[in-house]
Amino acid sequence: AEIREFLERAIRPVFGSWALWRLIVISLLAGVGEEILFRGVLQGGLAQQLGPWAALGVASLLFGLAHFVNWSYALVACVMGAYLGGLWLASGNLLTPIVTHAVYDLAALVYFLRGDHPPSAPPGGQTPVPRSTTGNPPAQARSCEKLRG
């Protein structure tokens, strides 16, 4: 719920009205920029000093901390960083984690912003009545409201 609240508060206001092509561009930019920094510069530079596996661990930890929303999300981002770093080690090509990262970001943005999933319940635990684009409850919700009295 905490991650969902963060997304609603920080991500939806910025990206919610963006066209798909803009989401694709921002996902590509994030994939390129973050992978050059975390894999190319940090992991690659640290590998010369610490070896490839220790460098993978440090770069993954820094990747997780850079994506800190809460400790659970930081852990997930750390694991994702390890996966992306492992892809780079396995392929020897920085383009592999760049493309993977960009596709993941785009899929996550589109799912969150455009996906057909219910909104999180507000404090108090009651699920809001769905509204149509006109602001009126759909017919099914109106029928249920009449039954409740």
Side-chain angles (χ1 to χ4, degrees):
E2 187 178 347
I3 293 172
R4 179 70 173 199
E5 289 170 12
F6 168 80
L7 294 172
E8 292 291 350
R9 186 179 67 251
I11 302 300
R12 189 175 302 280
V14 175
F15 301 110
S17 64
W18 283 25
L20 181 60
W21 72 267
R22 291 179 79 190
L23 296 175
I24 291 169
V25 170
I26 199 70
S27 297
L28 286 171
L29 291 173
V32 170
E34 291 184 16
E35 293 310 309
I36 287 173
L37 174 62
F38 288 100
R39 258 41 79 197
V41 174
L42 291 173
Q43 186 176 331
L46 290 171
Q48 296 173 5
Q49 306 298 318
L50 306 174
W53 298 108
L56 172 63
V58 172
S60 300
L61 179 63
L62 293 172
F63 186 81
L65 291 174
H67 291 82
F68 188 89
V69 171
N70 63 25
W71 288 109
S72 298
Y73 191 81
L75 179 61
V76 169
C78 188
V79 170
M80 185 63 163
Y83 176 73
L84 293 166
L87 282 177
W88 185 44
L89 287 176
S91 69
N93 186 340
L94 195 55
L95 190 59
T96 304
I98 287 172
V99 170
T100 303
H101 189 149
V103 168
Y104 171 81
D105 282 357
L106 179 62
L109 280 171
V110 169
Y111 173 79
F112 171 68
L113 296 171
R114 308 268 168 37
D116 186 22
H117 45 84
S120 56
Q126 292 186 352
T127 304
V129 176
R131 301 280 172 189
S132 70
T133 56
T134 63
N136 297 320
Q140 182 182 16
R142 285 193 303 268
S143 299
C144 291
E145 288 173 348
K146 287 179 186 176
L147 290 174
R148 284 187 233 154

Short mmCIF file of all heavy atoms in Angstrom, two decimals, residues 109-139:
data_model
loop_
_atom_site.label_atom_id
_atom_site.label_comp_id
_atom_site.label_asym_id
_atom_site.label_seq_id
_atom_site.Cartn_x
_atom_site.Cartn_y
_atom_site.Cartn_z
N LEU A 109 5.16 1.55 -16.09
CA LEU A 109 4.43 2.82 -16.24
C LEU A 109 3.07 2.61 -16.90
O LEU A 109 2.06 3.14 -16.43
CB LEU A 109 5.24 3.83 -17.06
CG LEU A 109 6.34 4.57 -16.33
CD1 LEU A 109 7.20 5.37 -17.32
CD2 LEU A 109 5.76 5.49 -15.26
N VAL A 110 3.05 1.85 -17.98
CA VAL A 110 1.79 1.63 -18.69
C VAL A 110 0.82 0.84 -17.80
O VAL A 110 -0.36 1.17 -17.72
CB VAL A 110 2.03 0.91 -20.03
CG1 VAL A 110 0.73 0.42 -20.65
CG2 VAL A 110 2.75 1.85 -21.00
N TYR A 111 1.31 -0.17 -17.10
CA TYR A 111 0.44 -0.93 -16.21
C TYR A 111 -0.14 -0.02 -15.12
O TYR A 111 -1.34 -0.04 -14.86
CB TYR A 111 1.20 -2.09 -15.56
CG TYR A 111 0.37 -2.78 -14.51
CD1 TYR A 111 -0.61 -3.69 -14.87
CD2 TYR A 111 0.56 -2.52 -13.16
CE1 TYR A 111 -1.40 -4.31 -13.92
CE2 TYR A 111 -0.23 -3.14 -12.20
CZ TYR A 111 -1.20 -4.03 -12.57
OH TYR A 111 -1.98 -4.63 -11.63
N PHE A 112 0.72 0.75 -14.48
CA PHE A 112 0.24 1.60 -13.39
C PHE A 112 -0.68 2.71 -13.89
O PHE A 112 -1.74 2.95 -13.32
CB PHE A 112 1.42 2.22 -12.64
CG PHE A 112 0.99 3.26 -11.65
CD1 PHE A 112 0.25 2.91 -10.53
CD2 PHE A 112 1.27 4.60 -11.85
CE1 PHE A 112 -0.18 3.87 -9.63
CE2 PHE A 112 0.86 5.57 -10.97
CZ PHE A 112 0.12 5.20 -9.84
N LEU A 113 -0.29 3.39 -14.97
CA LEU A 113 -1.05 4.56 -15.43
C LEU A 113 -2.27 4.20 -16.26
O LEU A 113 -3.27 4.92 -16.24
CB LEU A 113 -0.14 5.48 -16.24
CG LEU A 113 1.02 6.11 -15.46
CD1 LEU A 113 1.97 6.81 -16.41
CD2 LEU A 113 0.50 7.06 -14.39
N ARG A 114 -2.21 3.11 -17.01
CA ARG A 114 -3.29 2.79 -17.94
C ARG A 114 -3.94 1.45 -17.68
O ARG A 114 -4.91 1.11 -18.34
CB ARG A 114 -2.74 2.79 -19.38
CG ARG A 114 -1.98 4.04 -19.77
CD ARG A 114 -2.88 5.05 -20.41
NE ARG A 114 -2.39 6.38 -20.60
CZ ARG A 114 -1.19 6.82 -20.93
NH1 ARG A 114 -0.22 6.00 -21.10
NH2 ARG A 114 -0.93 8.10 -21.08
N GLY A 115 -3.39 0.67 -16.76
CA GLY A 115 -3.91 -0.67 -16.51
C GLY A 115 -5.30 -0.66 -15.94
O GLY A 115 -5.74 0.31 -15.31
N ASP A 116 -6.02 -1.73 -16.17
CA ASP A 116 -7.38 -1.87 -15.66
C ASP A 116 -7.31 -2.60 -14.32
O ASP A 116 -7.51 -3.79 -14.22
CB ASP A 116 -8.22 -2.67 -16.65
CG ASP A 116 -9.69 -2.73 -16.25
OD1 ASP A 116 -10.12 -1.86 -15.47
OD2 ASP A 116 -10.37 -3.66 -16.70
N HIS A 117 -6.96 -1.83 -13.28
CA HIS A 117 -6.89 -2.40 -11.94
C HIS A 117 -7.53 -1.42 -10.97
O HIS A 117 -7.53 -0.22 -11.19
CB HIS A 117 -5.44 -2.71 -11.52
CG HIS A 117 -4.48 -1.62 -11.86
ND1 HIS A 117 -4.27 -0.53 -11.06
CD2 HIS A 117 -3.67 -1.44 -12.93
CE1 HIS A 117 -3.38 0.26 -11.61
NE2 HIS A 117 -3.00 -0.26 -12.74
N PRO A 118 -8.12 -1.95 -9.90
CA PRO A 118 -8.84 -1.07 -8.98
C PRO A 118 -7.90 -0.13 -8.25
O PRO A 118 -6.76 -0.50 -7.98
CB PRO A 118 -9.52 -2.04 -8.01
CG PRO A 118 -8.69 -3.27 -8.07
CD PRO A 118 -8.13 -3.33 -9.47
N PRO A 119 -8.36 1.06 -7.90
CA PRO A 119 -7.53 1.96 -7.10
C PRO A 119 -7.37 1.39 -5.70
O PRO A 119 -8.18 0.58 -5.26
CB PRO A 119 -8.33 3.27 -7.08
CG PRO A 119 -9.73 2.85 -7.34
CD PRO A 119 -9.66 1.61 -8.22
N SER A 120 -6.33 1.80 -5.02
CA SER A 120 -6.14 1.32 -3.65
C SER A 120 -7.25 1.89 -2.77
O SER A 120 -7.78 2.96 -3.03
CB SER A 120 -4.77 1.73 -3.14
OG SER A 120 -4.61 3.13 -3.22
N ALA A 121 -7.58 1.12 -1.75
CA ALA A 121 -8.64 1.56 -0.84
C ALA A 121 -8.17 2.75 -0.03
O ALA A 121 -7.02 2.81 0.38
CB ALA A 121 -9.02 0.41 0.08
N PRO A 122 -9.04 3.71 0.20
CA PRO A 122 -8.67 4.87 1.01
C PRO A 122 -8.53 4.47 2.47
O PRO A 122 -8.95 3.40 2.86
CB PRO A 122 -9.84 5.83 0.80
CG PRO A 122 -11.00 4.94 0.51
CD PRO A 122 -10.42 3.76 -0.25
N PRO A 123 -7.93 5.34 3.29
CA PRO A 123 -7.86 5.04 4.72
C PRO A 123 -9.25 4.75 5.26
O PRO A 123 -10.23 5.38 4.88
CB PRO A 123 -7.29 6.32 5.32
CG PRO A 123 -6.57 6.99 4.19
CD PRO A 123 -7.32 6.60 2.95
N GLY A 124 -9.35 3.77 6.13
CA GLY A 124 -10.64 3.35 6.65
C GLY A 124 -11.10 2.06 6.02
O GLY A 124 -12.04 1.43 6.47
N GLY A 125 -10.45 1.65 4.92
CA GLY A 125 -10.68 0.36 4.32
C GLY A 125 -11.87 0.23 3.40
O GLY A 125 -12.11 -0.83 2.87
N GLN A 126 -12.65 1.27 3.17
CA GLN A 126 -13.80 1.16 2.28
C GLN A 126 -13.37 1.41 0.84
O GLN A 126 -12.63 2.35 0.57
CB GLN A 126 -14.88 2.16 2.67
CG GLN A 126 -15.52 1.85 4.00
CD GLN A 126 -16.68 2.78 4.28
OE1 GLN A 126 -16.91 3.74 3.56
NE2 GLN A 126 -17.41 2.49 5.34
N THR A 127 -13.81 0.55 -0.04
CA THR A 127 -13.50 0.71 -1.45
C THR A 127 -14.42 1.78 -2.04
O THR A 127 -15.62 1.74 -1.82
CB THR A 127 -13.70 -0.62 -2.20
OG1 THR A 127 -12.90 -1.61 -1.55
CG2 THR A 127 -13.30 -0.50 -3.66
N PRO A 128 -13.85 2.74 -2.79
CA PRO A 128 -14.69 3.78 -3.36
C PRO A 128 -15.64 3.23 -4.42
O PRO A 128 -15.34 2.24 -5.06
CB PRO A 128 -13.68 4.75 -3.98
CG PRO A 128 -12.44 3.95 -4.18
CD PRO A 128 -12.45 2.87 -3.13
N VAL A 129 -16.78 3.88 -4.58
CA VAL A 129 -17.72 3.52 -5.64
C VAL A 129 -17.12 3.97 -6.96
O VAL A 129 -16.69 5.11 -7.10
CB VAL A 129 -19.08 4.22 -5.42
CG1 VAL A 129 -20.03 3.93 -6.57
CG2 VAL A 129 -19.69 3.76 -4.11
N PRO A 130 -17.03 3.04 -7.95
CA PRO A 130 -16.46 3.44 -9.23
C PRO A 130 -17.28 4.54 -9.88
O PRO A 130 -18.50 4.57 -9.75
CB PRO A 130 -16.51 2.16 -10.07
CG PRO A 130 -17.14 1.11 -9.23
CD PRO A 130 -17.49 1.69 -7.91
N ARG A 131 -16.63 5.44 -10.57
CA ARG A 131 -17.30 6.54 -11.26
C ARG A 131 -17.04 6.44 -12.75
O ARG A 131 -15.97 6.04 -13.18
CB ARG A 131 -16.76 7.89 -10.77
CG ARG A 131 -16.93 8.11 -9.29
CD ARG A 131 -18.34 8.55 -8.99
NE ARG A 131 -18.57 8.60 -7.55
CZ ARG A 131 -19.73 8.78 -7.01
NH1 ARG A 131 -20.78 8.96 -7.77
NH2 ARG A 131 -19.87 8.81 -5.72
N SER A 132 -18.01 6.83 -13.51
CA SER A 132 -17.81 6.90 -14.96
C SER A 132 -17.06 8.19 -15.27
O SER A 132 -16.80 9.00 -14.39
CB SER A 132 -19.16 6.88 -15.68
OG SER A 132 -19.84 8.10 -15.44
N THR A 133 -16.76 8.40 -16.51
CA THR A 133 -16.06 9.61 -16.90
C THR A 133 -16.92 10.86 -16.72
O THR A 133 -16.42 11.97 -16.69
CB THR A 133 -15.59 9.53 -18.37
OG1 THR A 133 -16.74 9.26 -19.19
CG2 THR A 133 -14.55 8.46 -18.55
N THR A 134 -18.22 10.67 -16.54
CA THR A 134 -19.10 11.82 -16.31
C THR A 134 -19.17 12.19 -14.84
O THR A 134 -19.75 13.20 -14.48
CB THR A 134 -20.54 11.52 -16.80
OG1 THR A 134 -21.06 10.45 -16.02
CG2 THR A 134 -20.57 11.19 -18.27
N GLY A 135 -18.59 11.35 -13.97
CA GLY A 135 -18.61 11.62 -12.55
C GLY A 135 -19.77 10.96 -11.83
O GLY A 135 -19.87 11.02 -10.62
N ASN A 136 -20.67 10.30 -12.57
CA ASN A 136 -21.80 9.61 -11.97
C ASN A 136 -21.45 8.14 -11.78
O ASN A 136 -20.73 7.57 -12.58
CB ASN A 136 -23.04 9.71 -12.87
CG ASN A 136 -23.48 11.15 -13.03
OD1 ASN A 136 -23.45 11.92 -12.08
ND2 ASN A 136 -23.85 11.51 -14.25
N PRO A 137 -22.01 7.51 -10.72
CA PRO A 137 -21.75 6.08 -10.55
C PRO A 137 -22.32 5.30 -11.73
O PRO A 137 -23.36 5.68 -12.28
CB PRO A 137 -22.48 5.72 -9.26
CG PRO A 137 -22.83 7.01 -8.60
CD PRO A 137 -22.84 8.05 -9.68
N PRO A 138 -21.64 4.22 -12.14
CA PRO A 138 -22.21 3.39 -13.21
C PRO A 138 -23.55 2.80 -12.75
O PRO A 138 -23.85 2.75 -11.56
CB PRO A 138 -21.17 2.29 -13.41
CG PRO A 138 -20.01 2.61 -12.54
CD PRO A 138 -20.37 3.77 -11.68
N ALA A 139 -24.35 2.33 -13.71
CA ALA A 139 -25.69 1.82 -13.42
C ALA A 139 -25.66 0.73 -12.37
O ALA A 139 -26.49 0.70 -11.46
CB ALA A 139 -26.34 1.31 -14.71
#
